[in-house]
Amino acid sequence: MTSVAFTAHLSTATTNQKSNEFRRETLKTFVGLRKTTPVNHHSISLTKSLPNRQFNRSLRIVAGKSSPKVTSRNLRVAVIGGGPAGGAAAETLAKGGIETFLIERKLDNCKPCGGAIPLCMVGEFDLPLDIIDRRVTKMKMISPSNVAVDIGQTLKPHEYIGMVRREVLDAYLRDRAATSGATVINGLFLKMDMPEASNAPFVLHYTAYDGKTGGAGVRRTLEVDAVIGADGANSRVAKSIGAGDYDYAIAFQERIKISDEKMTYYENLAEMYVGDDVSPDFYGWVFPKCDHVAVGTGTVTHKGDIKKFQLATRNRAKDKIFGGKIIRVEAHPIPEHPRPRRLAGRVALVGDAAGYVTKCSGEGIYFAAKSGRMCAEAIVEGSEKGTRMIEEGDLRKYLEKWDKTYWPTYKVLDVLQKVFYRSNPAREAFVEMCADEYVQKMTFDSYLYKKVVPGNPLDDIKLAINTIGSLVRANALRREMDKITL
């Protein structure tokens, strides 16, 4: 479940020194927006990165020039899953000279997702403005006691958080991959037979529907040289390579059609609600779409109570959505941390299949698309644009680069969730901190452009003192509430 991660990135101001050594890699600079999007043959460049922490540091697999040539054809890669991760991976592979197959069963998929994307994604992934429903420039963070803090005054005139519908974004990325040369297959991936020799092919088994929305489909097979698993939290590719399990959240969302008058209130505004009533370990949201609002929540610890939390979220926003009609109900598992294993041989996981959703904020769309592109870039580079066979060492470069760039972000957001989502008094302190203009500036700058923003040392000290003060007040309030309860 993706959301505006400004709430989680407030720690950037106090953790720059610790994370800079991991995050010096330069991200593509945002250079503006365009109304139309011709095919963009972006250049592919990879930088040398650190070894992956999850594997033995003494083991270093090197592939590349010594790998065998692929004769009479190009390297063949299958991408399983057609969300942002799969679409971005397939496009990059096809542009890089790889014979690419993208297998997706639900071509009209509407994943239950807040649908927020950072500004940098619009430029970095060359997204046209007509697929963005709303440009959010204002937010309300609402505490358990319904204290609302307005956020967004630090945004520059051109800055906003994009709100998209997943069925629109995903279809656009798949179509662009097809335009770039990828073969998009409407099919359900079933299993794969592992190679019998070092350079032998994988045999994929799937049910093809050939555009049909129903029916039994036709069982087919496909031989490929490598596989990218982009098939979500319940990834069958992950199961095929024994990638291990992870904790997951249940995301529940209702799309509610409200009157034009009420929709005006949400024209450029999103709301986030925190409290034990809406989620014991996450938050509830109201995000604006083209002609409706998405109202949802999520939880890891109390999955069986998800409908109760959803009702509470709806009740918190009832005055603003009163009279609305529920036009769609959606639910889906969302990973809470990366899988224990994210690659094996010539198979790699990306997006939700790899577990790339941040805690505290639940952001996943950008990280899914980014991981798909990074994995595909590693394959293109390792195969010399499809002319050579790849090896595990080529895919390991993708993991090394990913961990070097984003590992600190995931760890910091994990800590934030444990500190501020553990009780209602702590959530009250969290909302209180969000009112600070410096916090808003640091978090929005970090979220919008996905890079560390240098802070002012004096303001950093002030923020640290305010954080401690808020937590002290939260603990004092909790003790008083415990006395009343007893």
Side-chain angles (χ1 to χ4, degrees):
M1 172 177 50
T2 306
S3 77
V4 276
F6 79 93
T7 58
H9 287 278
L10 63 87
S11 60
T12 303
T14 57
T15 57
N16 282 347
Q17 292 182 346
K18 293 183 180 179
S19 62
N20 275 350
E21 59 181 294
F22 298 105
R23 306 178 67 177
R24 293 185 185 279
E25 182 174 337
T26 302
L27 299 180
K28 181 177 178 181
T29 302
F30 174 75
V31 293
L33 306 178
R34 303 178 303 95
K35 292 187 177 180
T36 58
T37 307
V39 176
N40 176 22
H41 294 274
H42 64 272
S43 60
I44 297 173
S45 64
L46 298 173
T47 58
K48 188 175 180 180
S49 52
L50 297 177
N52 178 18
R53 297 176 184 81
Q54 295 197 20
F55 297 88
N56 189 330
R57 290 180 181 272
S58 64
L59 177 62
R60 182 68 176 176
I61 302 173
V62 179
K65 300 295 184 181
S66 61
S67 58
K69 283 274 190 180
V70 177
T71 57
S72 303
R73 61 175 176 82
N74 285 12
L75 188 77
R76 303 164 301 183
V77 177
V79 180
I80 311 301
E91 179 190 11
T92 302
L93 290 170
K95 287 180 177 180
I98 310 296
E99 186 177 357
T100 306
F101 303 91
L102 188 156
I103 301 176
E104 168 60 51
R105 172 64 186 102
K106 298 179 180 179
L107 296 178
D108 60 346
N109 183 42
C110 303
K111 183 179 177 181
C113 173
I117 60 173
L119 183 61
C120 68
M121 184 174 180
V122 180
E124 186 176 346
F125 287 87
D126 206 16
L127 301 179
L129 298 186
D130 55 8
I131 71 169
I132 299 174
D133 284 347
R134 299 280 175 174
R135 304 185 197 184
V136 168
T137 57
K138 300 176 183 177
M139 297 203 64
K140 285 186 181 292
M141 189 75 181
I142 304 171
S143 78
S145 62
N146 281 325
V147 173
V149 169
D150 293 321
I151 299 172
Q153 60 262 35
T154 64
L155 289 177
K156 298 179 179 64
H158 72 281
E159 294 179 331
Y160 63 88
I161 296 167
M163 290 291 168
V164 299
R165 284 165 289 158
R166 284 292 301 275
E167 64 269 28
V168 175
L169 173 66
D170 294 6
Y172 175 79
L173 293 175
R174 285 195 303 268
D175 290 345
R176 195 165 69 181
T179 300
S180 299
T183 299
V184 177
I185 299 172
N186 182 10
L188 175 64
F189 171 75
L190 302 173
K191 65 176 183 177
M192 62 183 175
D193 299 332
M194 306 304 284
E196 297 180 355
S198 59
N199 294 318
F202 295 85
V203 180
L204 308 186
H205 299 259
Y206 68 97
T207 301
Y209 293 93
D210 297 324
K212 299 177 182 178
T213 57
V218 180
R219 291 287 294 269
R220 291 179 181 167
T221 60
L222 175 68
E223 291 189 352
V224 294
D225 302 304
V227 178
I228 295 178
D231 48 340
N234 292 323
S235 171
R236 292 184 176 181
V237 176
K239 291 180 175 64
S240 297
I241 63 172
D245 297 323
Y246 46 36
D247 292 333
Y248 66 93
I250 289 294
F252 192 98
Q253 178 172 273
E254 296 167 321
R255 301 196 190 194
I256 301 178
K257 178 82 171 179
I258 57 179
S259 67
D260 292 341
E261 180 183 0
K262 290 186 179 295
M263 199 68 210
T264 301
Y265 172 78
Y266 288 109
E267 180 179 2
N268 61 345
L269 172 73
E271 293 178 324
M272 298 176 67
Y273 295 86
V274 292
D276 285 334
D277 58 332
V278 299
S279 176
D281 56 334
F282 208 60
Y283 61 86
W285 66 89
V286 180
F287 288 169
K289 304 299 179 179
C290 57
D291 60 354
H292 62 276
V293 290
V295 181
T297 185
T299 179
V300 177
T301 59
H302 292 70
K303 299 181 182 69
D305 294 326
I306 187 66
K307 290 187 178 180
K308 179 180 72 174
F309 300 141
Q310 176 66 12
L311 177 60
T313 303
R314 221 168 48 227
N315 285 338
R316 288 261 223 123
K318 63 182 179 181
D319 292 340
K320 289 160 283 189
I321 62 174
F322 180 77
K325 178 183 178 182
I326 298 175
I327 58 176
R328 189 166 193 142
V329 179
E330 306 159 333
H332 197 76
I334 304 295
E336 274 291 288
H337 59 77
R339 288 189 188 272
R341 190 181 191 188
R342 290 170 286 158
L343 69 81
R346 288 174 273 141
V347 181
L349 304 177
V350 297
D352 281 12
Y356 295 150
V357 176
T358 60
K359 285 191 176 182
C360 187
S361 66
E363 184 185 6
I365 294 179
Y366 173 81
F367 292 116
K370 187 68 174 180
S371 63
R373 175 176 284 184
M374 288 172 67
C375 183
E377 288 174 341
I379 292 175
V380 171
E381 181 190 54
S383 68
E384 295 183 349
K385 295 187 175 181
T387 62
R388 291 183 179 274
M389 183 62 65
I390 64 164
E391 299 177 6
E392 183 171 312
D394 299 303
L395 292 175
R396 196 176 302 282
K397 292 178 181 178
Y398 137 65
L399 285 189
E400 293 168 354
K401 183 178 180 181
W402 177 268
D403 287 345
K404 176 184 176 183
T405 307
Y406 298 114
W407 184 260
T409 297
Y410 284 87
K411 295 304 293 182
V412 165
L413 298 186
D414 187 10
V415 171
L416 272 179
Q417 185 177 49
K418 291 175 181 176
V419 171
F420 288 108
Y421 283 16
R422 72 183 188 275
S423 69
N424 274 352
R427 295 183 185 99
E428 294 284 353
F430 180 55
V431 173
E432 176 186 331
M433 290 175 55
C434 289
D436 186 275
E437 185 174 325
Y438 181 63
V439 169
Q440 293 186 28
K441 183 180 187 306
M442 295 299 295
T443 54
F444 267 120
D445 287 350
S446 298
Y447 171 74
L448 292 177
Y449 302 107
K450 287 292 174 286
K451 59 184 178 182
V452 173
V453 179
N456 181 293
L458 292 178
D459 286 333
D460 287 350
I461 294 173
K462 176 184 175 183
L463 176 59
I465 294 173
N466 289 342
T467 301
I468 294 171
S470 296
L471 291 174
V472 169
R473 288 191 292 276
N475 287 329
L477 177 59
R478 181 170 56 183
R479 286 194 296 270
E480 293 303 316
M481 293 300 294
D482 288 342
K483 292 178 184 178
I484 295 173
T485 303
L486 293 175

